[in-house]
Amino acid sequence: MSFRLVQRPSRYLPRAIFSKTAFLHRSIDGNRRHQYSTTTTMSFLPPFRYMTGEELVTLIKSDAKPYTDYVVFDVRDDDRVGGHILGSVHAPSNTFLERVRDLVEQTKDVPTVVFHCALSQARGPKAARIYSDLRSELEEKEGKEEKAHAVFVLRGGFTEFQLRHRNDPKLIESWDKDVWSSPYH
């Protein structure tokens, strides 16, 4: 028997999948007598999925409208210098917690939300988790049925995205060769 944990004691705890397995005690003669023990295993699932750079390119170049059908949040801090995804919203990670409620309110009708940082290993996934949890919590408090929305993290972050698409002005703006030719990137 498997089920998804819907209610969490704290919004900061990750979603989990529980599965219970019952073991039956067998007597020496091989007959099942009674339930011996129950074990519970748990695996954690993030409240977001990963999107590849090519999937984001397809989304941006499609008929989908930014801020209506999708929004891209760039949670890089000072490392945003040197370029960014065209039309992305700059929501620096160092002030993200202060702004997240406003961001959720502004994007509550947007079905696809994409987060990224430089590599999408820490800041991007953390912001996506906080955003997703708060959005679900606010929709639950308002008593509204949770609107279909998908939260994504850009796999490889802006660093990988700019390597492939830096010369496309429909995808990247303010790209600076001097910044990205630095040995620190």
Side-chain angles (χ1 to χ4, degrees):
M1 168 175 60
S2 294
F3 60 94
R4 187 172 188 147
L5 180 67
V6 177
Q7 296 269 335
R8 286 173 280 157
S10 169
R11 70 176 189 213
Y12 300 107
L13 294 177
R15 294 180 181 166
I17 297 236
F18 291 94
S19 64
K20 290 188 174 186
T21 307
F23 294 96
L24 298 175
H25 174 72
R26 292 189 182 268
S27 62
I28 295 175
D29 62 359
N31 295 327
R32 289 190 271 169
R33 299 286 175 158
H34 54 79
Q35 189 173 13
Y36 179 68
S37 67
T38 302
T39 61
T40 302
T41 58
M42 182 171 47
S43 64
F44 294 101
L45 298 175
F48 57 83
R49 295 181 304 218
Y50 282 91
M51 176 182 281
T52 65
E54 297 310 313
E55 291 170 330
L56 182 57
V57 168
T58 303
L59 179 63
I60 292 172
K61 290 187 173 183
S62 72
D63 292 336
K65 296 176 185 166
Y67 311 110
T68 303
D69 299 321
Y70 72 93
V71 66
V72 177
F73 286 112
D74 184 343
V75 295
R76 293 178 293 160
D77 299 309
D78 296 336
D79 53 334
R80 190 172 197 249
V81 173
H84 52 273
I85 295 173
L86 184 69
S88 63
V89 176
H90 189 215
S93 65
N94 59 4
T95 60
F96 187 77
L97 281 176
E98 299 161 9
R99 294 185 55 199
V100 68
R101 188 170 294 274
D102 293 334
L103 296 173
V104 169
E105 286 296 323
Q106 294 168 7
T107 61
K108 64 183 174 188
D109 295 324
V110 178
T112 303
V113 181
V114 182
F115 286 86
H116 77 84
C117 58
L119 299 171
S120 291
Q121 293 179 350
R123 295 175 292 178
K126 182 178 179 180
R129 180 187 54 80
I130 292 168
Y131 174 92
S132 181
D133 287 348
L134 182 61
R135 184 167 169 169
S136 296
E137 183 179 304
L138 290 176
E139 287 175 353
E140 186 179 304
K141 277 185 181 177
E142 291 175 3
K144 295 179 181 175
E145 189 174 308
E146 211 173 293
K147 294 178 184 166
H149 70 275
V151 178
F152 294 93
V153 173
L154 178 62
R155 188 174 302 281
F158 185 75
T159 304
E160 186 175 311
F161 191 81
Q162 67 85 25
L163 282 173
R164 294 189 177 142
H165 307 290
R166 63 180 165 233
N167 296 321
D168 189 342
K170 293 181 181 177
L171 298 173
I172 306 266
E173 62 184 346
S174 304
W175 189 82
D176 186 353
K177 178 183 178 186
D178 295 332
V179 171
W180 291 101
S181 62
S182 165
Y184 299 108
H185 279 104

